[in-house]
Amino acid sequence: VFEPRNRQITEAWDEITKKRVKLKQLEYATRDITDLGLEIDRLTVAIARFEQKLPAEQEVDVILRQVWELAMRHDLQPNRFEPVEPVATADYSELPISMVIEGDFDGFYGFLLELEKLPRYTRMRKMKLKKIKQDSLGQMTAEVVLSIFFEKSAGFQTADARSGRG
């Protein structure tokens, strides 16, 4: 007679325990957030700022030209400068650019510093530096894969693919 009722009581206590654990997790997650609306507004502004730094697909060629001009401004000779296949994610696309640059190491260092200051998000995925000759002071070759990020759109093609070369 008491067994079914005892089972119900045990199940009720188990459910209460689970809900207390969830409540503790919620309290832990929200302990530093005094005003949820204010936190949502802060995060909305942060997302908007992030999206402003993601250029539209049409601006990718402009950014490629900026990187090229930046290299030239630092007396670097870009021997190879070619976009690789774009990588699409949920909300944005990433365009890796394979570059081989020759020049003075100080110029390359200046190039990297200015590249970092560009108003767009970039990432240096790979960098391999090699001294050109033992007797040349500071002359080097850099093999670099630089990624630029842009707003995702359907049907993105690299300049090579648009021109029929890729």
Side-chain angles (χ1 to χ4, degrees):
V1 175
F2 295 107
E3 193 173 308
R5 187 72 176 141
N6 285 340
R7 193 174 327 117
Q8 288 176 339
I9 292 171
T10 303
E11 288 173 2
W13 276 111
D14 287 345
E15 188 175 334
I16 289 170
T17 303
K18 287 178 186 177
K19 287 186 178 185
R20 283 184 177 163
V21 168
K22 286 200 183 251
L23 185 59
K24 279 287 186 198
Q25 289 172 341
L26 182 61
E27 286 173 2
Y28 180 76
T30 60
R31 74 176 189 274
D32 295 332
I33 302 174
T34 54
D35 184 359
L36 197 55
L38 184 65
E39 184 68 11
I40 290 171
D41 291 343
R42 187 185 68 77
L43 292 173
T44 302
V45 168
I47 289 170
R49 206 175 301 136
F50 174 77
E51 288 176 343
Q52 285 176 344
K53 289 191 172 193
L54 283 178
E57 176 185 334
Q58 300 87 340
E59 295 179 58
V60 170
D61 289 337
V62 173
I63 295 169
L64 292 174
R65 187 172 358 103
Q66 284 178 333
V67 173
W68 178 276
E69 290 171 355
L70 191 61
M72 297 301 284
R73 195 167 45 238
H74 287 277
D75 296 325
L76 300 172
Q77 179 60 44
N79 291 337
R80 186 178 77 221
F81 195 87
E82 56 192 33
V84 185
E85 189 63 32
V87 178
T89 64
D91 298 319
Y92 62 90
S93 292
E94 176 181 354
L95 179 65
I97 305 163
S98 178
M99 303 183 321
V100 175
I101 300 173
E102 287 186 4
D104 184 66
F105 177 79
D106 292 334
F108 182 69
Y109 182 70
F111 166 75
L112 291 178
L113 290 176
E114 281 198 50
L115 186 66
E116 187 176 34
K117 293 177 186 174
L118 286 178
R120 304 294 185 195
Y121 289 113
T122 56
R123 178 176 77 170
M124 189 74 63
R125 297 176 70 186
K126 176 182 164 187
M127 178 171 41
K128 182 179 178 183
L129 302 176
K130 191 164 92 175
K131 192 171 188 177
I132 292 179
K133 295 178 183 174
Q134 289 295 72
D135 57 344
S136 65
L137 290 174
Q139 295 299 308
M140 43 123 309
T141 299
E143 294 179 33
V144 174
V145 176
L146 174 73
S147 286
I148 59 174
F149 299 89
F150 59 95
E151 287 183 65
K152 185 177 183 176
S153 67
F156 175 77
Q157 294 180 339
T158 63
D160 287 342
R162 287 191 300 265
S163 66
R165 291 181 291 174

